[in-house]
Amino acid sequence: MDPRRLVLLSEFAERRSITATATVLHLTPSAVSQQLKALEKEAGAPLMEPRGRGLELTALGTALADTAVEIRTALARARAVADEHVLGVAGTVRVAMFPSSAELLLPGAMSMLRERTPSLLIDPVILDAQESEFARLVPDFDIVLAHNVSGAGAWMSPSISTQLLLTEPLDVAVAPDHPLAERDEVSAAELADESWISVPHDFPFEHAFTRLERLMEQPLTVVARLPDLRTIEALIATGHGIGLVSRFTVAADKVRTLRLAEFQPTRQIYALTRAEHASSPAVRRVLDVLVEAGWEVERAVADGAAQ
C-alpha cells in the first residue's frame, strides 16, 4: 500500500471530512477522494461508508489509519533529525491554551526560552474548550494544553501523545462576608442549600460537582454556568453564589477559599501533541519548559504555604 495514501487516510480519520482533509493537505477534495478510493483498491475492502451526510471509517479503515500514525511519526522523526542538524532548535511552536493554563504556565515557559533558546518562540492561541473538544484541536496545533479531572485516559488515542504538566487542587470559594468565610474546611452537607456558580456541562470541573451532588444526595442549585473562572470569581465575590475555583490561580483578595472535608478535587493540566510532532526538536524543547514551568508553579505554592 502507498504510505502517502495511508497518511492521507489518517488525516481523514482525525478530521472526519474530505473537505477539511483536503484543506490541511493543500489538495482538492476531488484529489483526496481519488486517493482514498485508490487505497481501498489496494486494501481490497471498503475503508469508508456513508453515515448521514458524511462518511465514517469502517473497522478496516480505522485499523489502517491507526497504523499510519507510525508512518507519520517515522517521517517526522527523519525530518526532525535533518532540521536539528541544519537549523538547530529554532522557529515558532504554536500552542493552544485555555486561559488559566496560560496564566499559570506561559510566563515561566517564555522566560525560560528567552534565556536558554532565544531562537525559539511560543505562539500562544487562547481558547476556551470543553473537555471533549481538546483532542479535536490537536491536528491544528503543535501543542494543545488541556485539562480534566479524570486523567490522560480522556484523550487515549494512537495519534495523541500526552504529558502531565500540573495537578492543581480545587477549593470551594465564597464571598468575604459569607457565613463560612472564616472557615478553613467545609463538608458537603453544609453546602446543600447554597446557590452555585458553575461551569458549562462537559467542562472539567463538572465531574467534581457531580461527586458533590452524590455526597449531598441532592442536585446543586446552579444559578449561572460560565466558562471563564475570573467571571465566576467576580460573581462569587459579590454574593451571587459559591463555586469551585483553582487554588493556584484564584484571586485570593476577592474571595475566601475552603477545602472540602470529604475529598480533594483536582484538575490535571496536560500537553497534547500529535505523536509525530513530539519528534520535533522545537516541540520537545517547548514541552520541556512547560513541564518545568509546572514544577515552578507547584514549588512556589508549596513554599508560600510553608511560610
Side-chain angles (χ1 to χ4, degrees):
M1 279 179 266
D2 189 325
R4 292 170 297 181
R5 290 172 180 154
L6 286 169
V7 169
L8 188 151
L9 179 68
S10 72
E11 288 285 354
F12 173 82
E14 290 187 345
R15 300 175 188 280
R16 305 291 178 177
S17 161
I18 295 290
T19 301
T21 303
T23 299
V24 74
L25 295 177
H26 307 291
L27 298 170
T28 65
S30 176
V32 170
S33 295
Q34 289 172 8
Q35 292 299 313
L36 290 175
K37 287 177 182 176
L39 183 61
E40 281 191 330
K41 289 181 180 179
E42 293 174 346
L47 303 180
M48 296 176 294
E49 58 189 4
R51 184 69 59 84
R53 296 183 178 181
L55 293 171
E56 288 289 336
L57 292 178
T58 63
L60 175 60
T62 299
L64 287 178
D66 288 346
T67 64
V69 173
E70 299 174 20
I71 298 172
R72 287 192 338 210
T73 302
L75 291 171
R77 190 177 297 118
R79 181 73 264 169
V81 169
D83 287 347
E84 192 163 12
H85 278 275
V86 175
L87 303 173
V89 181
T92 300
V93 173
R94 198 160 180 252
V95 183
M97 301 176 157
F98 58 94
S100 57
S101 70
E103 180 181 348
L104 281 168
L105 301 172
L106 187 58
M110 290 183 69
S111 295
M112 292 175 202
L113 286 181
R114 182 175 58 191
E115 178 182 345
R116 304 170 192 174
T117 318
S119 57
L120 181 60
L121 301 174
I122 293 176
D123 176 16
V125 178
I126 308 301
L127 299 170
D128 257 327
Q130 295 179 328
E131 185 173 325
S132 61
E133 295 173 337
F134 288 117
R136 291 201 291 270
L137 296 172
V138 170
D140 297 317
F141 294 90
D142 297 306
I143 300 172
V144 173
L145 298 195
H147 60 147
N148 70 13
V149 297
S150 55
W155 303 294
M156 189 68 67
S157 166
S159 64
I160 295 178
S161 295
T162 62
Q163 171 70 61
L164 178 63
L165 302 179
L166 191 65
T167 296
E168 181 180 22
L170 305 178
D171 294 323
V172 176
V174 301
D177 59 354
H178 191 281
L180 296 171
E182 300 305 317
R183 298 268 297 277
D184 294 322
E185 187 176 86
V186 65
S187 70
E190 293 176 284
L191 302 174
D193 296 327
E194 297 284 348
S195 297
W196 288 80
I197 312 296
S198 185
V199 292
H201 295 294
D202 198 33
F203 271 61
F205 288 19
E206 186 70 9
H207 296 281
F209 286 116
T210 299
R211 187 168 178 185
L212 266 174
E213 287 180 328
R214 287 201 298 267
L215 288 169
M216 295 175 183
E217 298 182 343
Q218 67 180 59
L220 300 181
T221 301
V222 178
V223 296
R225 292 185 180 273
L226 299 159
D228 181 67
L229 292 182
R230 288 289 174 248
T231 306
I232 289 174
E233 289 174 13
L235 290 174
I236 293 170
T238 50
H240 293 283
I242 68 172
L244 288 179
V245 296
S246 304
R247 186 179 297 174
F248 295 168
T249 57
V250 64
D253 58 329
K254 295 182 179 179
V255 300
R256 301 290 181 265
T257 57
L258 306 85
R259 301 187 184 195
L260 281 165
E262 291 90 348
F263 73 107
Q264 176 61 77
T266 61
R267 69 165 174 174
Q268 291 79 44
I269 299 178
Y270 286 88
L272 312 182
T273 61
R274 261 188 167 186
E276 67 267 28
H277 287 175
S279 301
S280 160
V283 172
R284 288 202 312 269
R285 185 66 55 86
V286 171
L287 285 172
D288 287 344
V289 298
L290 285 169
V291 169
E292 192 170 345
W295 291 342
E296 292 293 339
V297 168
E298 291 184 333
R299 188 178 301 119
V301 172
D303 291 344
Q307 292 176 0

